[in-house]
Coordinates of all heavy atoms in Angstrom, one line a residue:
M187 N 5.0 -11.8 -22.1 CA 5.6 -11.4 -23.3 C 7.1 -11.5 -23.2 O 7.6 -11.4 -22.0 CB 5.3 -9.9 -23.6 CG 5.9 -9.3 -24.8 SD 5.4 -7.7 -25.2 CE 6.1 -7.5 -26.8
Q188 N 7.8 -11.7 -24.2 CA 9.3 -11.9 -24.2 C 9.9 -11.1 -25.3 O 9.4 -10.9 -26.4 CB 9.6 -13.4 -24.4 CG 11.1 -13.7 -24.3 CD 11.4 -15.2 -24.7 OE1 11.4 -15.6 -25.8 NE2 11.6 -16.0 -23.6
A189 N 11.1 -10.6 -25.0 CA 11.9 -9.8 -25.9 C 13.4 -10.1 -25.6 O 13.8 -10.2 -24.5 CB 11.6 -8.3 -25.8
I190 N 14.1 -10.1 -26.7 CA 15.6 -10.2 -26.6 C 16.2 -8.8 -27.0 O 16.0 -8.4 -28.1 CB 16.2 -11.3 -27.4 CG1 15.6 -12.7 -26.9 CG2 17.7 -11.3 -27.4 CD1 15.9 -13.9 -27.8
I191 N 16.8 -8.2 -26.1 CA 17.4 -6.9 -26.3 C 18.9 -6.9 -25.9 O 19.2 -7.3 -24.8 CB 16.6 -5.8 -25.5 CG1 15.1 -5.8 -25.8 CG2 17.2 -4.4 -25.7 CD1 14.3 -5.0 -24.9
R192 N 19.7 -6.5 -26.8 CA 21.2 -6.6 -26.6 C 21.6 -7.9 -26.0 O 22.3 -7.9 -25.0 CB 21.6 -5.4 -25.7 CG 21.5 -4.0 -26.5 CD 22.0 -2.9 -25.7 NE 21.2 -2.6 -24.5 CZ 20.1 -1.8 -24.4 NH1 19.7 -1.3 -25.5 NH2 19.5 -1.5 -23.3
K193 N 21.2 -9.0 -26.6 CA 21.5 -10.4 -26.3 C 21.0 -10.8 -24.9 O 21.5 -11.8 -24.4 CB 23.0 -10.6 -26.4 CG 23.5 -10.4 -27.8 CD 25.0 -10.6 -27.9 CE 25.5 -10.4 -29.3 NZ 26.9 -10.6 -29.4
K194 N 20.1 -10.0 -24.3 CA 19.6 -10.4 -23.0 C 18.1 -10.7 -23.2 O 17.4 -10.0 -23.9 CB 19.7 -9.3 -21.9 CG 21.2 -9.1 -21.6 CD 21.3 -8.1 -20.5 CE 22.8 -7.8 -20.2 NZ 22.9 -6.7 -19.2
T195 N 17.6 -11.7 -22.5 CA 16.2 -12.1 -22.6 C 15.4 -11.5 -21.5 O 15.7 -11.6 -20.3 CB 16.0 -13.6 -22.6 OG1 16.7 -14.2 -23.7 CG2 14.5 -14.0 -22.7
Y196 N 14.3 -10.8 -21.8 CA 13.4 -10.2 -20.9 C 12.0 -10.9 -21.1 O 11.5 -10.8 -22.2 CB 13.3 -8.7 -21.1 CG 14.6 -8.0 -20.9 CD1 15.5 -7.8 -22.0 CD2 15.0 -7.5 -19.7 CE1 16.7 -7.2 -21.9 CE2 16.2 -6.8 -19.5 CZ 17.1 -6.7 -20.6 OH 18.3 -6.1 -20.5
D197 N 11.5 -11.5 -20.0 CA 10.3 -12.3 -20.1 C 9.4 -12.0 -18.9 O 9.8 -12.3 -17.8 CB 10.7 -13.8 -20.2 CG 9.5 -14.7 -20.5 OD1 8.3 -14.3 -20.3 OD2 9.7 -15.8 -21.0
T198 N 8.2 -11.5 -19.2 CA 7.3 -11.2 -18.1 C 6.9 -12.5 -17.3 O 6.5 -12.3 -16.2 CB 6.1 -10.5 -18.6 OG1 5.4 -11.3 -19.6 CG2 6.4 -9.1 -19.2
D199 N 6.9 -13.6 -17.9 CA 6.5 -14.9 -17.3 C 7.6 -15.4 -16.3 O 7.3 -16.1 -15.3 CB 6.2 -16.0 -18.3 CG 4.9 -15.7 -19.0 OD1 4.1 -15.0 -18.5 OD2 4.8 -16.2 -20.1
D200 N 8.9 -15.0 -16.5 CA 10.0 -15.5 -15.7 C 10.5 -14.5 -14.7 O 11.3 -14.8 -13.8 CB 11.1 -16.0 -16.6 CG 10.8 -17.2 -17.4 OD1 9.9 -18.0 -16.9 OD2 11.4 -17.5 -18.4
A201 N 10.2 -13.2 -14.9 CA 10.7 -12.1 -14.1 C 9.7 -11.9 -12.9 O 8.6 -12.3 -12.9 CB 10.9 -10.9 -14.9
T202 N 10.2 -11.1 -11.9 CA 9.4 -10.7 -10.8 C 8.8 -9.3 -11.0 O 9.5 -8.4 -11.3 CB 10.2 -10.7 -9.5 OG1 10.8 -12.0 -9.3 CG2 9.4 -10.3 -8.3
K203 N 7.5 -9.2 -10.9 CA 6.8 -7.9 -11.1 C 7.0 -7.1 -9.8 O 6.7 -7.6 -8.7 CB 5.3 -8.1 -11.4 CG 4.6 -6.7 -11.7 CD 3.3 -6.8 -12.3 CE 2.3 -7.6 -11.5 NZ 0.9 -7.6 -12.1
L204 N 7.5 -5.9 -9.9 CA 7.7 -5.0 -8.8 C 6.6 -4.0 -8.6 O 6.4 -3.5 -7.5 CB 9.0 -4.2 -9.0 CG 10.3 -5.1 -9.1 CD1 11.5 -4.3 -9.3 CD2 10.4 -6.0 -7.9
G205 N 5.8 -3.7 -9.6 CA 4.8 -2.7 -9.5 C 4.1 -2.4 -10.8 O 4.6 -2.7 -11.9
T206 N 2.9 -1.7 -10.7 CA 2.1 -1.3 -11.9 C 1.7 0.1 -11.8 O 1.3 0.6 -10.7 CB 0.9 -2.2 -12.0 OG1 1.3 -3.6 -12.1 CG2 0.0 -1.9 -13.2
K207 N 1.8 0.8 -12.9 CA 1.3 2.2 -13.0 C 0.2 2.2 -14.1 O 0.4 1.7 -15.2 CB 2.4 3.1 -13.4 CG 2.0 4.5 -13.7 CD 3.2 5.3 -14.3 CE 2.8 6.6 -14.8 NZ 4.0 7.4 -15.3
C208 N -0.9 2.8 -13.8 CA -2.0 3.1 -14.8 C -2.1 4.6 -15.0 O -2.1 5.3 -14.1 CB -3.3 2.5 -14.3 SG -3.3 0.7 -14.1
A209 N -2.2 4.9 -16.3 CA -2.3 6.3 -16.6 C -3.5 6.5 -17.5 O -3.6 5.8 -18.5 CB -1.0 6.8 -17.3
G210 N -4.3 7.5 -17.3 CA -5.4 7.8 -18.1 C -6.6 6.8 -17.8 O -6.6 6.0 -16.9
E211 N -7.6 7.0 -18.6 CA -8.8 6.2 -18.5 C -8.8 5.0 -19.4 O -8.2 5.0 -20.5 CB -10.1 7.0 -18.9 CG -10.3 8.3 -18.1 CD -10.7 7.9 -16.7 OE1 -11.5 6.9 -16.5 OE2 -10.3 8.6 -15.7
F212 N -9.4 3.9 -18.9 CA -9.5 2.7 -19.7 C -10.2 3.0 -21.0 O -11.2 3.6 -21.1 CB -10.2 1.6 -19.0 CG -10.4 0.3 -19.8 CD1 -9.3 -0.6 -19.9 CD2 -11.5 0.0 -20.4 CE1 -9.4 -1.7 -20.6 CE2 -11.7 -1.2 -21.1 CZ -10.6 -2.0 -21.3
G213 N -9.6 2.6 -22.1 CA -10.2 2.8 -23.5 C -9.8 4.1 -24.1 O -10.0 4.4 -25.3
S214 N -9.1 5.0 -23.3 CA -8.7 6.3 -23.8 C -7.4 6.1 -24.7 O -6.6 5.3 -24.4 CB -8.3 7.2 -22.7 OG -7.6 8.3 -23.1
P215 N -7.4 6.8 -25.8 CA -6.2 6.7 -26.7 C -4.9 7.0 -26.0 O -3.8 6.5 -26.3 CB -6.4 7.7 -27.8 CG -7.9 7.9 -27.8 CD -8.3 7.7 -26.4
E216 N -4.9 7.9 -25.0 CA -3.7 8.3 -24.3 C -3.4 7.3 -23.1 O -2.3 7.4 -22.5 CB -3.8 9.7 -23.8 CG -3.9 10.7 -24.9 CD -5.3 10.9 -25.4 OE1 -6.3 10.6 -24.7 OE2 -5.5 11.4 -26.5
G217 N -4.4 6.5 -22.7 CA -4.2 5.7 -21.5 C -3.3 4.5 -21.7 O -3.1 4.0 -22.8
Y218 N -2.6 4.1 -20.6 CA -1.7 3.0 -20.7 C -1.5 2.4 -19.3 O -1.8 3.0 -18.3 CB -0.4 3.3 -21.3 CG 0.5 4.3 -20.6 CD1 1.4 3.9 -19.7 CD2 0.3 5.7 -20.7 CE1 2.2 4.8 -18.9 CE2 1.1 6.6 -20.0 CZ 2.0 6.1 -19.2 OH 2.8 7.0 -18.4
E219 N -1.0 1.1 -19.3 CA -0.6 0.4 -18.1 C 0.9 0.1 -18.3 O 1.3 -0.5 -19.3 CB -1.4 -0.8 -17.9 CG -1.0 -1.5 -16.6 CD -1.9 -2.8 -16.3 OE1 -3.0 -2.6 -15.8 OE2 -1.4 -3.9 -16.6
E220 N 1.7 0.4 -17.3 CA 3.1 0.1 -17.3 C 3.5 -0.7 -16.1 O 3.1 -0.4 -15.0 CB 3.9 1.4 -17.3 CG 5.3 1.3 -17.4 CD 6.0 2.7 -17.6 OE1 5.8 3.5 -16.6 OE2 6.6 3.0 -18.6
Q221 N 4.2 -1.8 -16.3 CA 4.6 -2.7 -15.2 C 6.1 -2.7 -15.2 O 6.8 -2.8 -16.2 CB 4.0 -4.1 -15.4 CG 2.5 -4.1 -15.4 CD 2.0 -5.5 -15.7 OE1 2.7 -6.4 -16.3 NE2 0.7 -5.7 -15.3
L222 N 6.7 -2.7 -14.0 CA 8.1 -2.8 -13.8 C 8.5 -4.2 -13.3 O 7.8 -4.7 -12.4 CB 8.6 -1.8 -12.7 CG 10.1 -1.9 -12.3 CD1 11.0 -1.5 -13.5 CD2 10.3 -0.9 -11.2
F223 N 9.4 -4.8 -14.0 CA 9.9 -6.2 -13.6 C 11.4 -6.2 -13.4 O 12.1 -5.3 -13.8 CB 9.6 -7.1 -14.8 CG 8.2 -7.5 -15.1 CD1 7.4 -6.6 -15.8 CD2 7.7 -8.6 -14.5 CE1 6.1 -6.9 -16.1 CE2 6.3 -9.0 -14.8 CZ 5.6 -8.1 -15.5
V224 N 11.9 -7.2 -12.7 CA 13.3 -7.5 -12.5 C 13.5 -8.9 -12.8 O 12.8 -9.8 -12.4 CB 13.8 -7.0 -11.1 CG1 13.2 -7.9 -10.0 CG2 15.3 -7.1 -11.1
T225 N 14.6 -9.2 -13.6 CA 14.9 -10.6 -13.9 C 15.7 -11.2 -12.8 O 16.2 -10.5 -11.9 CB 15.8 -10.6 -15.2 OG1 17.0 -10.0 -15.0 CG2 15.1 -10.0 -16.4
K226 N 15.9 -12.5 -12.9 CA 16.7 -13.2 -11.9 C 18.2 -12.7 -11.8 O 18.8 -12.8 -10.8 CB 16.7 -14.7 -12.2 CG 15.4 -15.4 -12.0 CD 15.3 -16.8 -12.5 CE 13.9 -17.3 -12.5 NZ 13.7 -18.5 -13.3
E227 N 18.6 -12.2 -13.0 CA 20.0 -11.6 -13.1 C 20.1 -10.2 -12.6 O 21.1 -9.6 -12.5 CB 20.5 -11.7 -14.5 CG 20.6 -13.1 -15.1 CD 19.3 -13.7 -15.5 OE1 18.3 -13.0 -15.7 OE2 19.2 -15.0 -15.6
G228 N 18.9 -9.6 -12.2 CA 18.9 -8.2 -11.7 C 18.7 -7.1 -12.7 O 18.9 -6.0 -12.4
N229 N 18.3 -7.5 -13.9 CA 18.0 -6.6 -15.0 C 16.6 -6.1 -14.9 O 15.7 -6.9 -14.8 CB 18.3 -7.2 -16.4 CG 19.7 -7.6 -16.5 OD1 20.6 -6.9 -16.2 ND2 19.9 -8.9 -17.0
H230 N 16.4 -4.8 -14.9 CA 15.1 -4.2 -14.8 C 14.5 -3.9 -16.2 O 15.2 -3.6 -17.1 CB 15.1 -2.9 -14.0 CG 15.4 -3.1 -12.6 ND1 16.7 -3.3 -12.1 CD2 14.6 -3.2 -11.5 CE1 16.7 -3.5 -10.8 NE2 15.4 -3.5 -10.4
F231 N 13.2 -4.0 -16.3 CA 12.5 -3.6 -17.6 C 11.1 -3.3 -17.3 O 10.5 -3.7 -16.3 CB 12.6 -4.7 -18.6 CG 11.9 -6.0 -18.3 CD1 10.6 -6.3 -18.8 CD2 12.5 -7.0 -17.5 CE1 9.9 -7.5 -18.6 CE2 11.8 -8.2 -17.3 CZ 10.5 -8.4 -17.8
F232 N 10.5 -2.5 -18.2 CA 9.1 -2.2 -18.2 C 8.4 -3.0 -19.3 O 8.9 -3.2 -20.4 CB 8.9 -0.7 -18.5 CG 9.4 0.2 -17.5 CD1 10.6 0.9 -17.7 CD2 8.8 0.4 -16.3 CE1 11.2 1.8 -16.7 CE2 9.3 1.2 -15.3 CZ 10.5 1.9 -15.5
Y233 N 7.1 -3.4 -19.0 CA 6.2 -3.9 -20.0 C 5.0 -3.0 -20.0 O 4.5 -2.7 -18.9 CB 5.8 -5.4 -19.6 CG 4.7 -5.9 -20.5 CD1 4.9 -6.1 -21.8 CD2 3.4 -6.0 -19.9 CE1 3.8 -6.5 -22.6 CE2 2.4 -6.5 -20.7 CZ 2.6 -6.7 -22.1 OH 1.5 -7.1 -22.8
G234 N 4.6 -2.6 -21.2 CA 3.5 -1.7 -21.2 C 2.5 -2.0 -22.4 O 2.9 -2.6 -23.4
V235 N 1.3 -1.7 -22.2 CA 0.2 -1.8 -23.2 C -0.6 -0.5 -23.0 O -0.8 0.0 -21.9 CB -0.7 -3.0 -23.0 CG1 0.1 -4.3 -23.2 CG2 -1.3 -3.1 -21.6
G236 N -1.2 0.0 -24.2 CA -2.0 1.2 -24.1 C -2.7 1.5 -25.3 O -2.7 0.8 -26.3
G237 N -3.3 2.7 -25.3 CA -4.1 3.2 -26.4 C -3.2 3.7 -27.5 O -2.0 3.8 -27.4
S238 N -3.8 4.0 -28.6 CA -3.1 4.3 -29.9 C -2.3 5.6 -29.8 O -1.3 5.7 -30.5 CB -4.1 4.5 -31.0 OG -5.1 5.5 -30.7
S239 N -2.5 6.5 -28.8 CA -1.7 7.7 -28.7 C -0.8 7.7 -27.4 O -0.3 8.7 -27.0 CB -2.6 8.9 -28.6 OG -3.4 9.1 -29.8
S240 N -0.7 6.5 -26.8 CA 0.1 6.4 -25.6 C 1.5 5.9 -25.9 O 1.8 5.6 -27.1 CB -0.5 5.3 -24.7 OG -0.2 4.0 -25.2
P241 N 2.4 6.0 -24.9 CA 3.8 5.5 -25.2 C 3.8 4.0 -25.5 O 4.9 3.5 -26.0 CB 4.5 5.7 -23.8 CG 3.6 6.7 -23.1 CD 2.2 6.5 -23.6
Y242 N 2.7 3.3 -25.3 CA 2.7 1.8 -25.5 C 1.5 1.5 -26.5 O 0.7 0.7 -26.2 CB 2.5 1.1 -24.2 CG 3.6 1.2 -23.3 CD1 3.6 2.1 -22.2 CD2 4.8 0.4 -23.5 CE1 4.7 2.2 -21.3 CE2 5.9 0.5 -22.6 CZ 5.8 1.4 -21.6 OH 6.9 1.5 -20.7
A243 N 1.5 2.2 -27.6 CA 0.5 2.0 -28.6 C 0.5 0.5 -29.1 O -0.5 -0.1 -29.5 CB 0.7 2.9 -29.8
E244 N 1.7 -0.1 -29.1 CA 1.9 -1.5 -29.3 C 2.5 -2.1 -28.0 O 3.3 -1.5 -27.4 CB 2.8 -1.8 -30.5 CG 2.4 -1.3 -31.8 CD 1.2 -2.1 -32.4 OE1 1.2 -3.3 -32.1 OE2 0.4 -1.5 -33.0
P245 N 2.0 -3.3 -27.6 CA 2.7 -3.9 -26.4 C 4.2 -3.9 -26.6 O 4.7 -4.3 -27.6 CB 2.1 -5.3 -26.3 CG 0.8 -5.2 -27.0 CD 1.0 -4.2 -28.1
A246 N 4.9 -3.5 -25.5 CA 6.4 -3.4 -25.7 C 7.1 -3.7 -24.3 O 6.5 -3.5 -23.3 CB 6.7 -2.0 -26.2
I247 N 8.3 -4.1 -24.5 CA 9.2 -4.2 -23.4 C 10.3 -3.2 -23.6 O 10.9 -3.1 -24.7 CB 9.8 -5.7 -23.3 CG1 8.7 -6.6 -22.8 CG2 11.0 -5.7 -22.4 CD1 9.2 -8.1 -22.6
K248 N 10.6 -2.4 -22.5 CA 11.7 -1.4 -22.6 C 12.6 -1.6 -21.4 O 12.2 -1.8 -20.3 CB 11.1 0.0 -22.5 CG 10.1 0.3 -23.6 CD 9.6 1.7 -23.5 CE 8.6 2.0 -24.6 NZ 8.0 3.3 -24.5
T249 N 13.9 -1.7 -21.6 CA 14.9 -1.9 -20.6 C 15.0 -0.7 -19.7 O 14.7 0.5 -20.1 CB 16.2 -2.3 -21.1 OG1 16.7 -1.2 -21.9 CG2 16.2 -3.6 -21.9
A250 N 15.5 -0.9 -18.5 CA 15.7 0.3 -17.5 C 16.9 0.0 -16.7 O 17.1 -1.2 -16.3 CB 14.4 0.4 -16.7
T251 N 17.6 1.0 -16.3 CA 18.7 0.9 -15.4 C 18.1 0.8 -14.0 O 16.9 1.1 -13.7 CB 19.6 2.1 -15.4 OG1 18.9 3.3 -15.0 CG2 20.2 2.3 -16.8
K252 N 18.9 0.3 -13.0 CA 18.4 0.2 -11.6 C 18.0 1.6 -11.1 O 17.0 1.8 -10.4 CB 19.5 -0.4 -10.7 CG 19.0 -0.5 -9.3 CD 19.9 -1.4 -8.4 CE 19.5 -1.6 -7.0 NZ 18.4 -0.8 -6.5
K253 N 18.8 2.6 -11.5 CA 18.5 4.0 -11.1 C 17.2 4.5 -11.6 O 16.4 5.1 -10.8 CB 19.6 4.9 -11.6 CG 19.5 6.4 -11.2 CD 20.7 7.2 -11.7 CE 20.6 8.6 -11.2 NZ 21.7 9.4 -11.6
V254 N 16.9 4.2 -12.9 CA 15.6 4.6 -13.4 C 14.4 3.8 -12.7 O 13.4 4.3 -12.4 CB 15.5 4.3 -15.0 CG1 14.1 4.4 -15.5 CG2 16.5 5.3 -15.7
A255 N 14.7 2.5 -12.5 CA 13.7 1.7 -11.8 C 13.4 2.2 -10.4 O 12.2 2.3 -10.0 CB 14.1 0.2 -11.8
D256 N 14.5 2.5 -9.7 CA 14.3 3.0 -8.3 C 13.5 4.3 -8.3 O 12.6 4.6 -7.5 CB 15.6 3.2 -7.6 CG 16.3 1.9 -7.3 OD1 15.6 0.8 -7.2 OD2 17.5 1.9 -7.0
A257 N 13.8 5.2 -9.3 CA 13.1 6.5 -9.4 C 11.6 6.3 -9.7 O 10.7 6.9 -9.2 CB 13.8 7.4 -10.4
W258 N 11.3 5.3 -10.6 CA 10.0 5.0 -11.0 C 9.2 4.5 -9.8 O 8.1 4.9 -9.5 CB 10.0 4.0 -12.1 CG 8.6 3.6 -12.7 CD1 8.0 4.2 -13.7 CD2 7.8 2.6 -12.2 NE1 6.8 3.6 -14.0 CE2 6.6 2.6 -13.1 CE3 7.8 1.6 -11.2 CZ2 5.6 1.7 -12.9 CZ3 6.8 0.7 -11.1 CH2 5.7 0.8 -11.9
K259 N 9.8 3.6 -9.0 CA 9.2 3.0 -7.8 C 8.9 4.2 -6.8 O 7.8 4.2 -6.2 CB 10.0 2.0 -7.1 CG 10.1 0.7 -7.9 CD 10.7 -0.5 -7.2 CE 12.1 -0.2 -6.7 NZ 12.8 -1.4 -6.1
K260 N 9.8 5.1 -6.6 CA 9.6 6.2 -5.7 C 8.5 7.1 -6.1 O 7.6 7.5 -5.4 CB 10.9 6.9 -5.5 CG 10.8 8.1 -4.5 CD 12.2 8.7 -4.3 CE 12.0 9.8 -3.2 NZ 13.3 10.5 -3.0
E261 N 8.5 7.4 -7.4 CA 7.5 8.3 -8.0 C 6.1 7.7 -7.9 O 5.1 8.4 -7.8 CB 7.9 8.5 -9.5 CG 6.9 9.4 -10.2 CD 7.3 9.5 -11.7 OE1 8.4 9.9 -12.0 OE2 6.4 9.3 -12.6
N262 N 6.0 6.4 -8.0 CA 4.7 5.7 -7.9 C 4.4 5.1 -6.6 O 3.4 4.3 -6.5 CB 4.7 4.7 -9.0 CG 4.7 5.3 -10.4 OD1 3.7 5.9 -10.8 ND2 5.8 5.3 -11.1
G263 N 5.2 5.4 -5.5 CA 4.8 5.0 -4.2 C 4.9 3.5 -4.0 O 4.1 2.9 -3.3
I264 N 5.9 2.8 -4.7 CA 6.1 1.4 -4.6 C 7.3 1.1 -3.8 O 8.4 1.5 -4.2 CB 6.1 0.8 -6.0 CG1 4.8 1.1 -6.7 CG2 6.4 -0.7 -6.0 CD1 4.8 0.8 -8.2
G265 N 7.2 0.2 -2.8 CA 8.3 -0.3 -2.0 C 9.5 0.4 -2.0 O 10.5 0.2 -1.6

């Protein structure tokens, strides 16, 4: 998936995936999968998909600061 946010391109096909978080049960309206990526330029972003009541009811890309990305990695036991 690709999105242009504040004149920067975020593309899951061109970025490096740093980790994945799954929340809830598969098929649950609240369940979702969130992946953290970093671009070649060092910009972090999340890509998520999920159920109708989840933060990712529609597939989406959300930008993240390095501080937020580092906290997410620590919280989820990733590198």
Side-chain angles (χ1 to χ4, degrees):
M187 179 174 192
Q188 183 183 78
I190 298 173
I191 303 170
R192 292 185 292 277
K193 299 183 182 180
K194 294 181 182 176
T195 301
Y196 299 88
D197 189 338
T198 56
D199 290 335
D200 291 336
T202 301
K203 183 166 59 171
L204 301 177
T206 301
K207 169 187 173 180
C208 295
E211 298 291 323
F212 179 77
S214 166
E216 297 83 21
Y218 65 93
E219 180 178 282
E220 182 175 63
Q221 299 174 340
L222 175 64
F223 288 85
V224 63
T225 66
K226 294 172 188 162
E227 295 79 20
N229 300 311
H230 291 83
F231 67 96
F232 294 104
Y233 168 69
V235 295
S238 60
S239 298
S240 78
Y242 294 101
E244 297 289 328
I247 287 179
K248 299 178 182 179
T249 61
T251 64
K252 182 170 181 349
K253 183 176 180 178
V254 167
D256 288 344
W258 185 91
K259 288 191 301 186
K260 183 176 181 181
E261 178 182 311
N262 292 288
I264 298 167

